[in-house]
Amino acid sequence: MHPEIKALQKEKKRQTLQFYTSAWLKSENMTTRVVNEPSGPPTIDAPEKKPPQGIKLIAMNLDSEEERDLLYNQRIVCGWGKEHIPKWRRAMARDERTMFWITIPLSYRQADLPTFYRSDGAKDEEILPIGQVAIDTLDDPQGDLLPDPTCVAPDGSVLSISTLFVLPAFQSFGVGAWTMDAVETLAQKEPYGRVNCRAVTITTLAGRYFDGPDDPDGKGRWARFGLVPPKRSNMAWYEKRGYKTFKEEVRYWNNMPNGERVNWYGAFMRKELPAPDEKI
């Protein structure tokens, strides 16, 4: 590779990291997130605006260093997941996971929001990603937690949606809702989903930490560990979208500065999907 091209690529990586580091600092001023807690959907009470025209999902290519770097930096802003990218890449190679970029037209680009390029052999296309989401055919929780057999079905009739994140600048514009609609549709289509898929599941932080008792096992946990509670419950947002909680179990954990491991309960939620010929 020509030295000038390498220098340009190095400078672009530096600018990308600088942009996302700034975005991360802004998001950290708003809230402190639990390890592996999904983030990105709009607040419950905020009026949702329409998502940008031309928004679409495109499958990620984590064999691309450029896309891996972008995902790494966006997960820094998200607050969790950057260390899981090698595992996600392997799962994608085994057809156990498909990750999608949430993309919008370049005309909506703000400041120096990073982009990446895709080539079809004839031309290069510049793509503007503002978040991501995934479809999983195999449950792969954090660390030493065991896969949960209720999250997915071996025959593909139940799949899991995970890793939803929208950059803070584009939240509360209906992007999260649009993304869930789109990915639920893709869950019933090859090659990303399964044609026999009739339900999807998600996991998110249990509601007890928002509206439960003011004790260490409820909303009092945040103060106990000196954490700033999130401003919203993702659980309520998913309920508005037709998801129903079927159980609560330990799903997340994080390590405190003193080395103590803290377990957090997740809400396991499920939404039934109509057969393709039943959709209006």
Side-chain angles (χ1 to χ4, degrees):
M1 184 180 294
H2 194 281
E4 290 185 3
I5 296 179
K6 291 185 68 175
L8 287 172
Q9 290 180 337
K10 184 176 181 180
E11 175 61 16
K12 183 177 180 181
K13 288 181 68 173
R14 186 195 67 79
Q15 292 176 352
T16 298
L17 180 58
Q18 184 179 46
F19 177 91
Y20 282 125
T21 299
S22 175
W24 174 78
L25 288 171
K26 291 178 182 177
S27 67
E28 283 297 288
N29 287 334
M30 294 188 293
T31 184
T32 299
R33 299 190 181 97
V34 177
V35 172
N36 253 17
E37 164 58 9
S39 58
T43 57
I44 303 304
D45 298 324
E48 289 189 5
K49 302 176 184 178
K50 291 183 179 180
Q53 290 188 351
I55 186 172
K56 63 181 179 180
L57 298 181
I58 64 171
M60 281 189 194
N61 174 18
L62 289 188
D63 289 334
S64 162
E65 182 180 4
E66 185 178 25
E67 292 188 42
R68 289 198 306 273
D69 287 342
L70 272 173
L71 179 59
Y72 183 91
N73 290 321
Q74 285 198 5
R75 298 314 293 187
I76 290 176
V77 181
C78 173
W80 71 270
K82 66 182 187 299
E83 69 279 7
H84 299 315
I85 293 174
K87 180 177 70 171
W88 293 343
R89 183 184 179 189
R90 292 192 295 270
M92 291 169 68
R94 296 191 298 265
D95 195 31
E96 295 169 353
R97 159 176 279 237
T98 301
M99 294 192 72
F100 301 93
W101 290 114
I102 306 167
T103 71
I104 59 175
L106 292 173
S107 58
Y108 291 97
R109 189 175 186 179
Q110 297 183 4
D112 296 321
L113 188 64
T115 60
F116 68 92
Y117 287 87
R118 285 271 182 91
S119 175
D120 60 6
K123 64 178 182 179
D124 291 336
E125 179 185 7
E126 188 176 11
I127 297 172
L128 177 59
I130 61 169
Q132 62 272 169
V133 70
I135 297 174
D136 295 307
T137 63
L138 183 72
D139 186 47
D140 188 14
Q142 177 190 4
D144 56 2
L145 297 176
L146 296 176
D148 192 291
T150 64
C151 289
V152 296
D155 65 358
S157 60
V158 182
L159 301 177
S160 179
I161 296 174
S162 64
T163 329
L164 174 61
F165 173 67
V166 179
L167 287 173
F170 295 93
Q171 292 175 17
S172 296
F173 282 88
V175 173
W178 179 94
T179 299
M180 290 300 294
D181 286 340
V183 80
E184 287 166 9
T185 298
L186 289 174
Q188 295 186 300
K189 295 181 178 180
E190 299 283 355
Y192 308 122
R194 301 293 184 266
V195 293
N196 64 317
C197 178
R198 295 296 178 269
V200 287
T201 64
I202 61 96
T203 57
T204 191
L205 197 62
R208 68 179 69 188
Y209 303 118
F210 300 90
D211 53 18
D214 193 12
D215 60 34
D217 291 322
K219 60 185 179 183
R221 167 168 291 207
W222 305 100
R224 175 190 173 194
F225 294 112
L227 299 174
V228 178
K231 293 184 178 180
R232 59 180 177 263
S233 166
N234 286 340
M235 188 175 170
W237 187 78
Y238 285 115
E239 287 173 345
K240 287 180 63 178
R241 299 199 49 76
Y243 287 80
K244 296 181 179 180
T245 303
F246 60 90
K247 68 175 180 178
E248 292 188 2
E249 290 183 357
V250 172
R251 184 68 174 180
Y252 316 111
W253 57 267
N254 65 327
N255 289 320
M256 303 305 296
N258 63 2
E260 179 185 1
R261 169 169 164 164
V262 181
N263 291 327
W264 298 78
Y265 276 80
F268 289 68
M269 307 181 76
R270 174 176 169 132
K271 180 178 181 177
E272 305 300 321
L273 300 179
D277 57 1
E278 297 174 0
K279 293 183 178 180
I280 298 176

